């Protein structure tokens, strides 16, 4: 496939190299099983057990949406993830790995998957979010780069994230014909008024061409000293002249960021069939 070409990809990159700082933080109010507490202490959110590891449900959603190839971007010390998914028997998904040598941000994690992508486009998601199958399907079927823009009220109604937390998420500015313009991190009241209603949010659910790897190499660190995938996407738009489509979606995302999220995510996923 020619560089930068996108044609209903079947590839997905999952960012799983995070340090799990919030998940490691003690929370006496979180009702956890002993297995869940041990997984939380390790910081590997993908392996939080809900009958089976949380990431299994994320992978099932990808398979249902039509993906067949998955790359887990992990850290050098994430032996548990490699041991489990490297030996897991699957018939719908092929699971590979890429290693992010140092925790330098989400764009650094994406860059680690360049060899695995093999010159093809791919969808990128977080390992600590469970996304609706239909949102993933629509993103996969785009004929060019894009992201899912989640409608904020539907996020509150259908996910496990309350209104206060949702208000702190990154807002998506959408232009004419559904064109992605930019991400506004932690938007204030003035920006929210400018964007109007309904308000759309980014949950790091992207469709990239291979041009994103050039962007990951070109961007500077953010103010917090990390290379951000949102900056790489903006570079693709502003400097590489790619058009990103914003897929407007009314539905909730389940977020597994902290120990306090485990019970609510467990309640919503309990009994969900998994076929990988």
């Amino acid at each position: 496939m020619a560089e930068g070409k996108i044609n209903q990809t079947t590839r997905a990159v999952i960012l799983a190299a995070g340090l799990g700082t919030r998940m490691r933080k003690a929370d006496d109010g979180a009702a956890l099983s002993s297995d869940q507490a041990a997984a939380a202490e390790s910081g590997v959110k993908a392996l939080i057990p809900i009958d089976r590891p949380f990431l299994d449900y994320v992978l099932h959603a990808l398979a249902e949406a039509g993906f067949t190839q998955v790359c887990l971007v992990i850290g050098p010390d994430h032996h548990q993830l490699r041991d489990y998914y490297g030996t897991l028997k699957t018939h719908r998904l092929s699971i590979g790995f890429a290693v992010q040598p140092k925790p330098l941000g989400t764009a650094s994690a994406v860059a680690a998957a360049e060899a695995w992508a093999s010159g093809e486009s791919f969808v990128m998601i977080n390992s600590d979010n469970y996304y609706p199958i239909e949102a993933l399907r629509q993103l996969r079927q785009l004929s060019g780069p894009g992201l899912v823009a989640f409608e904020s009220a539907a996020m509150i109604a259908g996910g496990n994230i309350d209104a206060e937390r949702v208000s702190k998420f990154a807002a998506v500015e959408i232009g004419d014909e559904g064109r992605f313009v930019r991400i506004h991190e932690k938007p204030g009241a003035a920006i929210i008024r400018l964007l109007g209603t309904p308000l759309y949010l980014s949950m790091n659910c992207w469709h990239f061409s291979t041009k994103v790897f050039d962007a990951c190499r070109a961007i500077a660190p953010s103010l917090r000293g990390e290379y951000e995938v949102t900056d790489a996407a903006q570079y693709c738009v502003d400097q590489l002249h790619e058009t990103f489509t914003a897929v407007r979606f009314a539905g909730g995302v389940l977020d597994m960021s902290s120990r306090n999220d485990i019970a609510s995510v467990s309640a919503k996923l309990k009994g969900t069939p998994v076929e990988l």
Side-chain angles (χ1 to χ4, degrees), residues 90-155:
T90 63
H91 68 275
R92 296 208 291 174
L93 294 174
S94 171
I95 301 175
F97 300 90
V99 176
Q100 181 185 13
K102 296 180 180 180
L104 298 178
T106 50
S108 169
V110 169
E114 183 171 12
W116 177 87
S118 298
E120 297 189 23
S121 63
F122 60 94
V123 160
M124 186 226 84
I125 61 174
N126 293 334
S127 65
D128 56 358
N129 290 139
Y130 176 85
Y131 302 90
I133 293 167
E134 184 56 30
L136 294 170
R137 182 180 291 117
Q138 290 184 32
L139 189 63
R140 181 182 75 80
Q141 293 174 343
L142 287 180
S143 60
L147 81 162
V148 181
F150 291 93
E151 199 272 313
S152 60
M155 278 277 292

Side-chain angles (χ1 to χ4, degrees), residues 10 22 28 30 58 62 67 79 91 119 134 143 176-177 190 204 208 241 243 250 252 260 271 275:
T10 58
R22 281 180 289 176
D28 294 336
V58 179
L62 287 170
F67 293 88
H79 304 299
H91 68 275
E134 184 56 30
S143 60
D176 296 338
E177 300 179 350
N204 243 11
F208 289 123
H241 311 296
T243 297
N260 194 49
E275 183 183 0

